[in-house]
Structure formats: structure tokens, C-alpha cells
Amino acid sequence: MKILVINCGSSSLKYQLIDMDHETVIAKGLCERIGIAGSKLTHTPAGKDKVVVEKDMPNHKVAIQLVMDALQDPNHGVIKSTDEISAIGHRVLHGGMKFYKSTVVTEEVKQVIRECFDLGPLHNPANLMGIEACEAAMPGKPNVAVFDTAFGMSMPEKAYKYAIPEEYFEKYSIRRYGFHGTSHMFVSGEAIKFGNLDPEKAKVIVCHLGNGASVSASIGGKCVDTSMGLTPLEGLIMGTRSGDIDPAVLQFIMNKEGIDINEMLTILNKKSGVLGMSGGVSSDFRDIETAAKEGNHLAEVALEAFFYRVTKYIGAYTAAMNGVDAIAFTAGVGENDKNARKKICENLAFMGVKIDDEANDVRGERRVISAPDSAVKVMLIPTNEELAIARDTLALVHE
Ligand code: AMP
């Protein structure tokens, strides 16, 4: 059985065709600059060279059609007809308060995705365009929406409520939702399996450390807290996002600089994080590490502050769950940067965390990286959001 996974951005579309009998990728690709001059599709069939198709893509509907053509192309295609695709799984950013789990797309589901446009203004409209483009290209084929916010919906009220007047929750559903949910769900689930932990009771902390970064705490695979909030701005220091900040800082800077709230939020989302703290060195952690090694003090502080905040969140979530059985690292930094994993774990020695330097000397491979006598299992679990989406899609179309 083959599942097509679609992840639409406002001007991009990523896809993977996955053979679910073996959970292997048959082909993957990316449409870039949709609606902008110079659009192109890069298609990579498994084990073969990539093919670049430069064609106008005025909208997502045309992009999907080009993807269908690439998948069925006599030379670089991987299927004879779209009949071979059983269902399509879509990453959808925001499901608001309505969706606690993935769901088969109906007109009502599309309406809720629409109602959540103001909660996910950049992503939800693009996600809906992707769904409608697939409906048009493959009529009658089931589409499944996999929400990035669904994992966070199991948080208890004490974790998801902001300490602001209740009327804003009631009127506007202002609460903490959390993001990277598909990754946290996948990695926490895999950590339980891989670590032989109790599937009902295991207390797991997942550190998704990439350009966007977040931490989650889950018990038995159910999220009890996560670091991102109403938007992905809350929580850790990220590539370009500030993470947690005193809101009064906004008012202070806005008054001094004479800027409005939109400009201020652009600064917090796009110009802060390690990019801002390092005085503009880079949002890329590799560049920050190189600059720090070369003696750039600001880059050094940015890196230390990043590690420090991750460590604080792990400590807080351990207390919140009254213990932790496993800590799992994932995403670009978490999977590739042994130094980051070591630094973060060093301050957790008080709770019996012991990294095994030899085991930790690894990139992108599923592995236990703690010492055998560590009180907490520390693991590297590469994330695979596409596979998680495909698994949910398959489960729903089999129901
Ligand atoms: P992601 O958003 O998950 O794709 O992660 C992107 C981030 O991972 C970028 O900031 C990269 O610099 C970082 N990254 C990738 N490889 C490494 C590495 N070997 N060491 C440090 N950071 C890395």
C-alpha cells in the first residue's frame, strides 16, 4: 500500500511517496517558489538521481499536477497510475481546540481548518490549498489531515492555560497548543519502543532541537506539557526566535524604537534567537559553533544560553512529571551535534544522567547514548514526521 504525504507551505510543497508494507520512501520531492517567478520541482526517486523540472507553478493545484506527472513519468516515475496511491496524508499546522487526533478530511474538517486561519496564518491556508489540490487531482481518494497541534491537546488545563483573564480563552481560545507535535509524538513513541519502556506509564522528555526548537513531556506517549505556546514563539531559544521573554520588553523596545507590534513580532520571530544574540553571526547552529570556537564571545554566549534553556526545561519537566525515564534528542541539532547533547546532559548529573561519550559519538542514528548505569536513558531518535503522517493516514483509511 502506498501513501502520499504532502506538506504545503505558502510557496512550497514537499512530498514523499511511502511504501507502507516496508515503510520505505519510494520517491520524494519539493516544489519551490509556487506563485513566484522561477518555480521548480525537484523530484528524487529512491536510489536514483534527482530530476529538476523548471515550470511555472502559479498555484498549489498546478504544483500537485506536476508532482502527479513526475510520479508517473515514464523515465523517472515510480508508479504507473495514481490508482496505486491509497490515500494522501497532509501536514496541517493548526487544528485549534477541535482536533485531538488525525482525521479523514470532510467538508466539516476543511471548515475547521479555515476557522483556524488566524491561529496559523502562514500555514493553514497553504495546508488547505494542498488538500483541495489533491481532491481535484485525485477525486474520491481519501485525504487525511495530521495536525501539528494534536499531540499537545492532551495537556491538562494547568499546563495549557495562560494566567490571563479567562474571557480571552473563552472568546478566542487563547491557550498553549504546542507545535512540532507530529515529531514529538513519533519520537516519544519510538523512544518507548526502542528503550523497552512501559507503554502506559513511561515518562519521556523529547528535545526537538532544530532551527525551530521545542521540548515535550509525555507520560505513556500522551503529552502533559510542551514548550511552544499559542504560536511557535514560546519556549526555547531557537535559530531566529527568542522563545520565552518578559512581554514588557516588547513595550519598552516599541516605545524606544517607535515600531509597531507587527514589526516587534517580526524581530522576535525572525531576528532573535541565536542569530540575534550572536550579533547577527547566523541562525545556523553550525556557524554559531564555529564562531564560538574562533573566540566570538557573543556566539559563545548564544550557544551557552541555548543549552542552558534546554537544560532548564528538562529540569522543569522532570519535576512536572515527578521523574523521567528517558530523554530523547531529535531534529537537526539533536541528531547531529554530540557536543550539544553532552553539554545539555552535563547539568543533569544531579538526577543521575550519565552520557557515554563513545555511544554519543554518532549522527542521525537511533541509539542509546547514556551509560549503562545512567538513572535515565538518554537516546538519539531521528525524527520522521512524514512516516508518522503516513502511519496515521494508513490507520485511518483502514478503519
Ligand atoms: P532542522 O530545523 O531540524 O532541519 O535543523 C536545522 C539546524 O540543525 C540548523 O541550525 C543546523 O545548523 C543544525 N545542524 C545540522 N547539522 C548539524 C551539526 N552537525 N552540528 C550542529 N548543528 C547542526
Side-chain angles (χ1 to χ4, degrees):
M1 184 171 275
K2 298 181 181 81
I3 301 282
L4 180 64
V5 176
I6 299 284
N7 182 355
C8 276
S10 49
S11 66
S12 69
L13 186 158
K14 279 191 251 174
Y15 63 93
Q16 280 195 9
L17 185 65
I18 301 181
D19 171 2
M20 293 308 287
D21 297 334
H22 308 98
E23 294 198 335
T24 49
V25 177
I26 306 167
K28 63 181 177 181
L30 168 69
C31 301
E32 294 169 272
R33 301 179 66 85
I34 300 171
I36 309 171
S39 37
K40 66 172 181 181
L41 178 152
T42 309
H43 174 77
T44 313
K48 293 193 187 153
D49 288 341
K50 63 181 174 197
V51 184
V52 178
V53 181
E54 287 182 16
K55 253 193 193 155
D56 241 16
M57 290 181 233
N59 53 48
H60 288 73
K61 209 166 161 184
V62 177
I64 283 286
Q65 203 46 60
L66 287 179
V67 172
M68 294 299 124
D69 293 347
L71 289 170
Q72 298 171 83
D73 187 272
N75 297 317
H76 52 258
V78 289
I79 51 174
K80 290 210 163 56
S81 105
T82 54
D83 290 347
E84 290 179 48
I85 300 173
S86 301
I88 306 116
H90 297 262
R91 176 182 184 250
V92 179
L93 182 82
H94 223 300
M97 297 271 290
K98 291 273 163 55
F99 294 113
Y100 286 65
K101 56 189 175 84
S102 305
T103 181
V104 175
V105 174
T106 59
E107 284 309 311
E108 291 75 38
V109 171
K110 287 198 302 189
Q111 185 50 31
V112 177
I113 296 172
R114 236 174 254 122
E115 284 163 15
C116 293
F117 277 5
D118 56 354
L119 288 169
L122 295 180
H123 293 86
N124 269 39
N127 300 151
L128 186 61
M129 278 193 274
I131 290 172
E132 291 183 330
C134 285
E135 287 175 335
M138 290 170 277
K141 199 81 72 187
N143 286 276
V144 168
V146 178
F147 298 95
D148 217 32
T149 48
F151 186 65
M153 294 311 289
S154 54
M155 276 192 274
E157 267 184 288
K158 65 183 177 190
Y160 75 66
K161 279 280 182 74
Y162 285 116
I164 56 173
E166 176 63 10
E167 62 176 293
Y168 302 122
F169 173 71
E170 283 166 11
K171 279 201 279 192
Y172 310 121
S173 307
I174 302 293
R175 52 161 282 175
R176 304 181 60 257
Y177 288 93
F179 296 86
H180 294 142
T182 310
S183 175
H184 286 289
M185 178 188 71
F186 179 82
V187 174
S188 57
E190 294 295 301
I192 289 173
K193 279 192 255 166
F194 188 61
N196 274 326
L197 306 175
D198 183 335
E200 304 292 324
K201 294 194 190 129
K203 297 171 177 174
V204 177
I205 293 176
V206 173
C207 303
H208 177 114
L209 309 179
N211 187 36
S214 60
V215 188
S216 70
S218 60
I219 301 180
K222 293 214 161 36
C223 179
V224 293
D225 210 340
T226 188
S227 61
M228 284 176 166
L230 175 75
T231 77
L233 186 51
E234 191 178 340
L236 300 179
I237 295 172
M238 311 184 206
T240 62
R241 296 191 191 111
S242 65
D244 298 335
I245 191 165
D246 178 351
V249 170
L250 281 64
Q251 184 198 34
F252 198 93
I253 295 176
M254 285 161 66
N255 286 344
K256 291 279 182 197
E257 298 277 319
I259 57 175
D260 66 16
I261 188 66
N262 293 322
E263 288 171 282
M264 189 65 239
L265 282 178
T266 302
I267 292 169
L268 293 179
N269 272 305
K270 302 238 154 80
K271 298 181 180 169
S272 299
V274 293
L275 170 70
M277 284 188 81
S278 64
V281 168
S282 175
S283 62
D284 191 301
F285 282 86
R286 282 166 293 200
D287 300 338
I288 296 289
E289 285 190 354
T290 306
K293 277 196 198 113
E294 286 165 355
N296 181 320
H297 176 66
L298 291 181
E300 225 172 291
V301 175
L303 210 52
E304 289 297 325
F306 170 74
F307 299 148
Y308 179 65
R309 194 169 302 174
V310 178
T311 312
K312 283 208 296 188
Y313 264 96
I314 295 173
Y317 285 173
T318 303
M321 294 193 288
N322 195 6
V324 60
D325 298 308
I327 299 169
F329 287 95
T330 196
V333 178
E335 290 172 28
N336 293 300
D337 191 343
K338 62 178 176 184
N339 178 49
R341 294 190 297 261
K342 188 174 165 67
K343 284 272 182 196
I344 290 164
C345 287
E346 265 170 3
N347 274 343
L348 302 171
F350 78 96
M351 53 190 225
V353 171
K354 256 191 228 169
I355 280 271
D356 177 331
D357 285 333
E358 209 174 298
N360 186 39
D361 191 7
V362 64
R363 287 178 58 174
E365 185 189 305
R366 177 185 297 224
R367 187 183 273 192
V368 173
I369 56 169
S370 48
D373 60 341
S374 177
V376 180
K377 262 193 181 135
V378 184
M379 299 178 220
L380 190 172
I381 308 270
T383 193
N384 192 337
E385 289 168 83
E386 289 78 12
L387 179 58
I389 291 170
R391 281 181 183 170
D392 268 16
T393 304
L394 181 67
L396 280 165
V397 297
H398 262 180
E399 264 177 9

PDB file of all heavy atoms in Angstrom, residues 208-212 239 283-287 289 330-338 340 363 383, ligand 1:
ATOM      1  N   HIS A 208      13.273  18.394  20.662  1.00  0.00           N
ATOM      2  CA  HIS A 208      13.310  18.585  19.202  1.00  0.00           C
ATOM      3  C   HIS A 208      14.118  19.852  18.962  1.00  0.00           C
ATOM      4  O   HIS A 208      13.622  20.969  19.122  1.00  0.00           O
ATOM      5  CB  HIS A 208      11.876  18.708  18.662  1.00  0.00           C
ATOM      6  CG  HIS A 208      11.803  18.966  17.190  1.00  0.00           C
ATOM      7  ND1 HIS A 208      11.282  18.059  16.291  1.00  0.00           N
ATOM      8  CD2 HIS A 208      12.178  20.039  16.449  1.00  0.00           C
ATOM      9  CE1 HIS A 208      11.352  18.555  15.075  1.00  0.00           C
ATOM     10  NE2 HIS A 208      11.887  19.764  15.140  1.00  0.00           N
ATOM     11  N   LEU A 209      15.402  19.672  18.643  1.00  0.00           N
ATOM     12  CA  LEU A 209      16.298  20.825  18.543  1.00  0.00           C
ATOM     13  C   LEU A 209      16.725  21.017  17.093  1.00  0.00           C
ATOM     14  O   LEU A 209      17.636  20.342  16.602  1.00  0.00           O
ATOM     15  CB  LEU A 209      17.530  20.613  19.441  1.00  0.00           C
ATOM     16  CG  LEU A 209      17.255  20.218  20.901  1.00  0.00           C
ATOM     17  CD1 LEU A 209      18.558  20.017  21.662  1.00  0.00           C
ATOM     18  CD2 LEU A 209      16.381  21.261  21.589  1.00  0.00           C
ATOM     19  N   GLY A 210      16.035  21.912  16.406  1.00  0.00           N
ATOM     20  CA  GLY A 210      16.401  22.246  15.036  1.00  0.00           C
ATOM     21  C   GLY A 210      16.427  23.755  14.935  1.00  0.00           C
ATOM     22  O   GLY A 210      16.617  24.442  15.948  1.00  0.00           O
ATOM     23  N   ASN A 211      16.200  24.259  13.744  1.00  0.00           N
ATOM     24  CA  ASN A 211      16.111  25.709  13.598  1.00  0.00           C
ATOM     25  C   ASN A 211      14.949  26.234  14.441  1.00  0.00           C
ATOM     26  O   ASN A 211      15.054  27.218  15.154  1.00  0.00           O
ATOM     27  CB  ASN A 211      15.950  26.036  12.111  1.00  0.00           C
ATOM     28  CG  ASN A 211      16.031  27.510  11.886  1.00  0.00           C
ATOM     29  OD1 ASN A 211      16.790  28.210  12.562  1.00  0.00           O
ATOM     30  ND2 ASN A 211      15.219  28.009  10.970  1.00  0.00           N
ATOM     31  N   GLY A 212      13.822  25.524  14.391  1.00  0.00           N
ATOM     32  CA  GLY A 212      12.760  25.701  15.383  1.00  0.00           C
ATOM     33  C   GLY A 212      13.025  24.657  16.450  1.00  0.00           C
ATOM     34  O   GLY A 212      13.478  23.565  16.132  1.00  0.00           O
ATOM     35  N   GLY A 239      16.758  29.211  16.322  1.00  0.00           N
ATOM     36  CA  GLY A 239      17.632  29.836  15.333  1.00  0.00           C
ATOM     37  C   GLY A 239      17.387  31.335  15.246  1.00  0.00           C
ATOM     38  O   GLY A 239      18.316  32.145  15.363  1.00  0.00           O
ATOM     39  N   SER A 283      21.818  32.107  11.937  1.00  0.00           N
ATOM     40  CA  SER A 283      20.778  31.346  12.655  1.00  0.00           C
ATOM     41  C   SER A 283      21.135  29.868  12.645  1.00  0.00           C
ATOM     42  O   SER A 283      20.472  29.053  13.272  1.00  0.00           O
ATOM     43  CB  SER A 283      19.425  31.548  11.973  1.00  0.00           C
ATOM     44  OG  SER A 283      19.481  31.050  10.649  1.00  0.00           O
ATOM     45  N   ASP A 284      22.183  29.526  11.915  1.00  0.00           N
ATOM     46  CA  ASP A 284      22.578  28.127  11.759  1.00  0.00           C
ATOM     47  C   ASP A 284      23.532  27.746  12.890  1.00  0.00           C
ATOM     48  O   ASP A 284      24.564  28.396  13.079  1.00  0.00           O
ATOM     49  CB  ASP A 284      23.253  27.944  10.392  1.00  0.00           C
ATOM     50  CG  ASP A 284      23.431  26.479  10.057  1.00  0.00           C
ATOM     51  OD1 ASP A 284      24.098  25.770  10.831  1.00  0.00           O
ATOM     52  OD2 ASP A 284      22.898  26.050   9.024  1.00  0.00           O
ATOM     53  N   PHE A 285      23.169  26.700  13.626  1.00  0.00           N
ATOM     54  CA  PHE A 285      23.956  26.337  14.803  1.00  0.00           C
ATOM     55  C   PHE A 285      25.396  25.952  14.458  1.00  0.00           C
ATOM     56  O   PHE A 285      26.292  26.131  15.273  1.00  0.00           O
ATOM     57  CB  PHE A 285      23.259  25.213  15.577  1.00  0.00           C
ATOM     58  CG  PHE A 285      22.123  25.732  16.407  1.00  0.00           C
ATOM     59  CD1 PHE A 285      20.852  25.890  15.859  1.00  0.00           C
ATOM     60  CD2 PHE A 285      22.315  26.116  17.722  1.00  0.00           C
ATOM     61  CE1 PHE A 285      19.807  26.403  16.604  1.00  0.00           C
ATOM     62  CE2 PHE A 285      21.268  26.627  18.485  1.00  0.00           C
ATOM     63  CZ  PHE A 285      20.015  26.765  17.921  1.00  0.00           C
ATOM     64  N   ARG A 286      25.613  25.440  13.236  1.00  0.00           N
ATOM     65  CA  ARG A 286      26.998  25.097  12.860  1.00  0.00           C
ATOM     66  C   ARG A 286      27.857  26.352  12.796  1.00  0.00           C
ATOM     67  O   ARG A 286      28.992  26.383  13.267  1.00  0.00           O
ATOM     68  CB  ARG A 286      27.018  24.384  11.503  1.00  0.00           C
ATOM     69  CG  ARG A 286      26.615  22.942  11.608  1.00  0.00           C
ATOM     70  CD  ARG A 286      26.312  22.360  10.277  1.00  0.00           C
ATOM     71  NE  ARG A 286      25.104  22.977   9.710  1.00  0.00           N
ATOM     72  CZ  ARG A 286      24.378  22.433   8.756  1.00  0.00           C
ATOM     73  NH1 ARG A 286      24.731  21.293   8.230  1.00  0.00           N
ATOM     74  NH2 ARG A 286      23.298  23.035   8.303  1.00  0.00           N
ATOM     75  N   ASP A 287      27.293  27.424  12.216  1.00  0.00           N
ATOM     76  CA  ASP A 287      28.046  28.688  12.125  1.00  0.00           C
ATOM     77  C   ASP A 287      28.294  29.278  13.510  1.00  0.00           C
ATOM     78  O   ASP A 287      29.351  29.840  13.789  1.00  0.00           O
ATOM     79  CB  ASP A 287      27.267  29.724  11.287  1.00  0.00           C
ATOM     80  CG  ASP A 287      27.019  29.225   9.875  1.00  0.00           C
ATOM     81  OD1 ASP A 287      27.764  28.328   9.431  1.00  0.00           O
ATOM     82  OD2 ASP A 287      26.067  29.732   9.233  1.00  0.00           O
ATOM     83  N   GLU A 289      28.572  27.611  16.291  1.00  0.00           N
ATOM     84  CA  GLU A 289      29.617  26.819  16.947  1.00  0.00           C
ATOM     85  C   GLU A 289      30.997  27.170  16.418  1.00  0.00           C
ATOM     86  O   GLU A 289      31.955  27.290  17.181  1.00  0.00           O
ATOM     87  CB  GLU A 289      29.354  25.325  16.757  1.00  0.00           C
ATOM     88  CG  GLU A 289      28.231  24.871  17.657  1.00  0.00           C
ATOM     89  CD  GLU A 289      28.049  23.364  17.718  1.00  0.00           C
ATOM     90  OE1 GLU A 289      28.713  22.641  16.969  1.00  0.00           O
ATOM     91  OE2 GLU A 289      27.228  22.941  18.536  1.00  0.00           O
ATOM     92  N   THR A 330      16.314  14.891  19.124  1.00  0.00           N
ATOM     93  CA  THR A 330      15.984  14.723  17.712  1.00  0.00           C
ATOM     94  C   THR A 330      16.111  16.058  16.963  1.00  0.00           C
ATOM     95  O   THR A 330      16.419  17.082  17.562  1.00  0.00           O
ATOM     96  CB  THR A 330      14.557  14.122  17.565  1.00  0.00           C
ATOM     97  OG1 THR A 330      14.399  13.617  16.249  1.00  0.00           O
ATOM     98  CG2 THR A 330      13.468  15.172  17.830  1.00  0.00           C
ATOM     99  N   ALA A 331      15.893  16.025  15.645  1.00  0.00           N
ATOM    100  CA  ALA A 331      15.981  17.171  14.707  1.00  0.00           C
ATOM    101  C   ALA A 331      17.444  17.578  14.463  1.00  0.00           C
ATOM    102  O   ALA A 331      18.354  16.985  15.057  1.00  0.00           O
ATOM    103  CB  ALA A 331      15.140  18.347  15.170  1.00  0.00           C
ATOM    104  N   GLY A 332      17.642  18.578  13.592  1.00  0.00           N
ATOM    105  CA  GLY A 332      18.974  18.912  13.066  1.00  0.00           C
ATOM    106  C   GLY A 332      20.091  18.941  14.097  1.00  0.00           C
ATOM    107  O   GLY A 332      21.114  18.259  13.952  1.00  0.00           O
ATOM    108  N   VAL A 333      19.899  19.716  15.165  1.00  0.00           N
ATOM    109  CA  VAL A 333      20.948  19.824  16.194  1.00  0.00           C
ATOM    110  C   VAL A 333      20.946  18.565  17.061  1.00  0.00           C
ATOM    111  O   VAL A 333      22.002  17.962  17.317  1.00  0.00           O
ATOM    112  CB  VAL A 333      20.720  21.086  17.067  1.00  0.00           C
ATOM    113  CG1 VAL A 333      21.765  21.178  18.163  1.00  0.00           C
ATOM    114  CG2 VAL A 333      20.710  22.349  16.209  1.00  0.00           C
ATOM    115  N   GLY A 334      19.773  18.145  17.485  1.00  0.00           N
ATOM    116  CA  GLY A 334      19.648  16.982  18.376  1.00  0.00           C
ATOM    117  C   GLY A 334      20.215  15.711  17.769  1.00  0.00           C
ATOM    118  O   GLY A 334      20.767  14.872  18.478  1.00  0.00           O
ATOM    119  N   GLU A 335      20.088  15.570  16.443  1.00  0.00           N
ATOM    120  CA  GLU A 335      20.552  14.338  15.799  1.00  0.00           C
ATOM    121  C   GLU A 335      22.024  14.383  15.404  1.00  0.00           C
ATOM    122  O   GLU A 335      22.670  13.348  15.267  1.00  0.00           O
ATOM    123  CB  GLU A 335      19.725  14.073  14.526  1.00  0.00           C
ATOM    124  CG  GLU A 335      18.292  13.677  14.832  1.00  0.00           C
ATOM    125  CD  GLU A 335      17.410  13.609  13.599  1.00  0.00           C
ATOM    126  OE1 GLU A 335      17.938  13.348  12.500  1.00  0.00           O
ATOM    127  OE2 GLU A 335      16.196  13.824  13.732  1.00  0.00           O
ATOM    128  N   ASN A 336      22.522  15.607  15.182  1.00  0.00           N
ATOM    129  CA  ASN A 336      23.868  15.715  14.586  1.00  0.00           C
ATOM    130  C   ASN A 336      24.951  16.268  15.490  1.00  0.00           C
ATOM    131  O   ASN A 336      26.123  16.199  15.148  1.00  0.00           O
ATOM    132  CB  ASN A 336      23.796  16.614  13.340  1.00  0.00           C
ATOM    133  CG  ASN A 336      22.992  15.971  12.246  1.00  0.00           C
ATOM    134  OD1 ASN A 336      23.340  14.893  11.788  1.00  0.00           O
ATOM    135  ND2 ASN A 336      21.916  16.612  11.849  1.00  0.00           N
ATOM    136  N   ASP A 337      24.557  16.855  16.609  1.00  0.00           N
ATOM    137  CA  ASP A 337      25.531  17.627  17.378  1.00  0.00           C
ATOM    138  C   ASP A 337      25.807  16.967  18.735  1.00  0.00           C
ATOM    139  O   ASP A 337      25.094  17.194  19.714  1.00  0.00           O
ATOM    140  CB  ASP A 337      24.988  19.048  17.557  1.00  0.00           C
ATOM    141  CG  ASP A 337      26.024  19.996  18.097  1.00  0.00           C
ATOM    142  OD1 ASP A 337      27.043  19.521  18.639  1.00  0.00           O
ATOM    143  OD2 ASP A 337      25.813  21.213  17.981  1.00  0.00           O
ATOM    144  N   LYS A 338      26.880  16.161  18.783  1.00  0.00           N
ATOM    145  CA  LYS A 338      27.184  15.437  20.027  1.00  0.00           C
ATOM    146  C   LYS A 338      27.557  16.392  21.155  1.00  0.00           C
ATOM    147  O   LYS A 338      27.271  16.147  22.326  1.00  0.00           O
ATOM    148  CB  LYS A 338      28.298  14.407  19.787  1.00  0.00           C
ATOM    149  CG  LYS A 338      29.616  14.997  19.364  1.00  0.00           C
ATOM    150  CD  LYS A 338      30.669  13.922  19.199  1.00  0.00           C
ATOM    151  CE  LYS A 338      31.950  14.541  18.673  1.00  0.00           C
ATOM    152  NZ  LYS A 338      32.994  13.583  18.400  1.00  0.00           N
ATOM    153  N   ALA A 340      26.304  19.397  21.663  1.00  0.00           N
ATOM    154  CA  ALA A 340      25.074  19.951  22.246  1.00  0.00           C
ATOM    155  C   ALA A 340      24.456  18.944  23.205  1.00  0.00           C
ATOM    156  O   ALA A 340      24.084  19.294  24.330  1.00  0.00           O
ATOM    157  CB  ALA A 340      24.086  20.301  21.139  1.00  0.00           C
ATOM    158  N   ARG A 363      25.902  10.335  14.601  1.00  0.00           N
ATOM    159  CA  ARG A 363      24.997  11.313  13.962  1.00  0.00           C
ATOM    160  C   ARG A 363      23.848  10.569  13.303  1.00  0.00           C
ATOM    161  O   ARG A 363      24.072   9.579  12.605  1.00  0.00           O
ATOM    162  CB  ARG A 363      25.742  12.099  12.880  1.00  0.00           C
ATOM    163  CG  ARG A 363      26.710  13.094  13.454  1.00  0.00           C
ATOM    164  CD  ARG A 363      27.447  13.807  12.361  1.00  0.00           C
ATOM    165  NE  ARG A 363      26.509  14.478  11.476  1.00  0.00           N
ATOM    166  CZ  ARG A 363      26.886  15.282  10.487  1.00  0.00           C
ATOM    167  NH1 ARG A 363      28.142  15.492  10.248  1.00  0.00           N
ATOM    168  NH2 ARG A 363      25.982  15.870   9.733  1.00  0.00           N
ATOM    169  N   THR A 383      13.977  11.972  13.960  1.00  0.00           N
ATOM    170  CA  THR A 383      12.544  12.177  13.747  1.00  0.00           C
ATOM    171  C   THR A 383      12.178  11.798  12.316  1.00  0.00           C
ATOM    172  O   THR A 383      13.044  11.769  11.427  1.00  0.00           O
ATOM    173  CB  THR A 383      12.136  13.632  14.070  1.00  0.00           C
ATOM    174  OG1 THR A 383      10.709  13.682  14.133  1.00  0.00           O
ATOM    175  CG2 THR A 383      12.650  14.633  13.057  1.00  0.00           C
TER     176      THR A 383
HETATM  177  P1  AMP B   1      16.169  21.319  11.320  1.00  0.00           P
HETATM  178  O1  AMP B   1      15.357  22.560  11.534  1.00  0.00           O
HETATM  179  O2  AMP B   1      15.710  20.148  12.148  1.00  0.00           O
HETATM  180  O3  AMP B   1      16.375  20.974   9.868  1.00  0.00           O
HETATM  181  O4  AMP B   1      17.643  21.655  11.888  1.00  0.00           O
HETATM  182  C1  AMP B   1      18.427  22.654  11.308  1.00  0.00           C
HETATM  183  C2  AMP B   1      19.536  23.028  12.265  1.00  0.00           C
HETATM  184  O5  AMP B   1      20.338  21.877  12.562  1.00  0.00           O
HETATM  185  C3  AMP B   1      20.470  24.080  11.677  1.00  0.00           C
HETATM  186  O6  AMP B   1      20.659  25.132  12.603  1.00  0.00           O
HETATM  187  C4  AMP B   1      21.762  23.314  11.509  1.00  0.00           C
HETATM  188  O7  AMP B   1      22.864  24.122  11.734  1.00  0.00           O
HETATM  189  C5  AMP B   1      21.688  22.278  12.597  1.00  0.00           C
HETATM  190  N1  AMP B   1      22.633  21.200  12.327  1.00  0.00           N
HETATM  191  C6  AMP B   1      22.634  20.329  11.327  1.00  0.00           C
HETATM  192  N2  AMP B   1      23.755  19.545  11.391  1.00  0.00           N
HETATM  193  C7  AMP B   1      24.472  19.973  12.464  1.00  0.00           C
HETATM  194  C8  AMP B   1      25.706  19.594  13.079  1.00  0.00           C
HETATM  195  N3  AMP B   1      26.438  18.628  12.587  1.00  0.00           N
HETATM  196  N4  AMP B   1      26.111  20.279  14.156  1.00  0.00           N
HETATM  197  C9  AMP B   1      25.376  21.279  14.650  1.00  0.00           C
HETATM  198  N5  AMP B   1      24.206  21.679  14.144  1.00  0.00           N
HETATM  199  C10 AMP B   1      23.748  21.035  13.064  1.00  0.00           C
END
